[in-house]
Amino acid sequence: MNPATELAPQLKQLRLSGILDSLEARNRQAIDAKLAYTEFLALLIQDEVARREQKKFSTRLRRAAFRATKTLEGFEFDRLPSTNRALVHDLATGRYIQEKAPVLIVGPCGTGKSHLAQALGHCAVRQGQDVVFASCAQLVASLNAARAIGNYERKLQQLARVPVLIIDDFGLKPLRAPADEDLHDLIAERYEQAATIVTSNLDFTEWDQAFPGNRLLASATVDRLRHNAYCLTLDGASYRALRQEPNKAKTALASTPKTTNLEPPKTFVRAYSNWLLYADHRWLYCAGP
């Protein structure tokens, strides 16, 4: 009798059903290698631990809601030579998470701010941290929606407890009431309690422009974000720039040598011959007796 059939219900009861996926292969390996029972058991436990870790990683990655799979390995540092690469790799270790310090990334459109922020978030997920990625507009909209159904405080505390919160495109749209107050409340709750990554097209000195209706609120919010923050400036051309393709038609035309055709067209020669025959016939008719 297959032992897996008898073990299946017991493993499920112990929530170890993942062992069934590798049980047959490991059993064959143990027989061929003449492994001790403890070695065979160790292999099964290692497989179960690896399976659970992969499941946790997939769950954290799904909850992070990244726009795409952006990793640090895929970031084009050569396109932005002035980027502080040493600081980026230091941030990838997750030290800022332990310090509960903000990470602020600014630069023109298309320089890779969102890519870098998501890459740091991906590193945090691999280190076992929960991450939430959202644009600034999406974030305040979710808080406003929670207020509409009476769950504002619950939503605020949920976002405040996330170990790594990534706020993308801060300042892209001006914050009007109550969105400006909601963002301030969130930043105030996370201040020195959790790590926050913020990307923006605005320079650091222009961040107060995101709160056009309340300069005092802007000062209080930006001051908390800047305190003990790691700052990165990405300066370079946009990777979204159009690529200029060569005009193949003009190139082919320029490379073709020009020739002059001195021969008359065939249609002209045929018409001229017919005219001569007609003229000769008319002359003979008029000169006849």
Side-chain angles (χ1 to χ4, degrees), residues 68-89 91-92 104-123 126 168 199 232-240:
T69 304
K70 300 292 186 180
T71 62
L72 206 58
E73 292 77 11
F75 189 76
E76 299 179 8
F77 285 100
D78 294 338
R79 188 174 52 83
L80 304 169
S82 61
T83 303
N84 190 340
R85 189 179 299 194
L87 176 57
V88 172
H89 287 294
L91 293 172
L104 313 180
I105 307 173
V106 301
C109 293
T111 51
K113 300 182 299 296
S114 298
H115 183 149
L116 185 56
Q118 291 180 92
L120 292 176
H122 197 275
C123 290
R126 284 186 285 186
D168 195 33
T199 73
L232 281 168
T233 301
L234 306 186
D235 188 14
S238 173
Y239 72 89
R240 299 189 185 102

Side-chain angles (χ1 to χ4, degrees), residues 30-50:
I31 295 173
D32 295 340
K34 297 181 180 180
L35 299 178
Y37 294 123
T38 53
E39 292 176 323
F40 173 54
L41 180 60
L43 290 174
L44 292 176
I45 293 176
Q46 291 172 8
D47 291 340
E48 178 63 15
V49 171

Side-chain angles (χ1 to χ4, degrees), residues 249-288:
K250 290 184 178 181
T251 304
L253 183 62
S255 61
T256 303
K258 296 182 179 180
T259 57
T260 304
N261 190 358
L262 301 178
E263 297 180 3
K266 295 180 180 181
T267 54
F268 174 80
V269 174
R270 190 181 300 109
Y272 184 72
S273 300
N274 293 337
W275 181 82
L276 290 176
L277 291 175
Y278 176 77
D280 184 63
H281 173 75
R282 291 287 296 170
W283 181 81
L284 292 173
Y285 178 82
C286 296

Side-chain angles (χ1 to χ4, degrees), residues 49-208:
V49 171
R51 186 190 68 84
R52 292 192 178 192
E53 288 300 321
Q54 180 60 37
K55 187 177 181 180
K56 289 179 181 179
F57 171 77
S58 300
T59 301
R60 288 192 299 267
L61 200 61
R62 184 179 69 255
R63 290 177 179 173
F66 295 128
R67 290 177 183 168
T69 304
K70 300 292 186 180
T71 62
L72 206 58
E73 292 77 11
F75 189 76
E76 299 179 8
F77 285 100
D78 294 338
R79 188 174 52 83
L80 304 169
S82 61
T83 303
N84 190 340
R85 189 179 299 194
L87 176 57
V88 172
H89 287 294
D90 181 62
L91 293 172
T93 64
R95 183 161 59 91
Y96 71 99
I97 303 175
Q98 306 302 323
E99 297 175 354
K100 299 177 174 54
V103 177
L104 313 180
I105 307 173
V106 301
C109 293
T111 51
K113 300 182 299 296
S114 298
H115 183 149
L116 185 56
Q118 291 180 92
L120 292 176
H122 197 275
C123 290
V125 168
R126 284 186 285 186
Q127 294 161 7
Q129 301 288 347
D130 289 331
V131 180
V132 170
F133 174 90
S135 69
C136 186
Q138 291 173 335
L139 201 60
V140 295
S142 67
L143 288 170
N144 191 42
R147 177 185 290 106
I149 60 176
N151 286 337
Y152 175 79
E153 288 297 330
R154 181 180 178 182
K155 182 67 174 179
L156 180 64
Q157 293 304 317
Q158 178 185 353
L159 291 172
R161 289 193 298 265
V162 176
V164 180
L165 177 64
I166 304 176
I167 305 176
D168 195 33
D169 290 332
F170 169 76
L172 186 62
K173 297 179 181 179
L175 295 169
R176 310 291 182 182
D180 53 356
E181 297 179 9
D182 293 345
L183 184 63
H184 169 76
D185 291 344
L186 179 58
I187 298 302
E189 287 289 334
R190 296 183 59 82
Y191 177 61
E192 295 186 331
Q193 300 299 317
T196 305
I197 300 176
V198 183
T199 73
S200 179
N201 294 329
L202 299 176
D203 195 6
F204 293 118
T205 58
E206 302 172 333
W207 278 30
D208 60 336

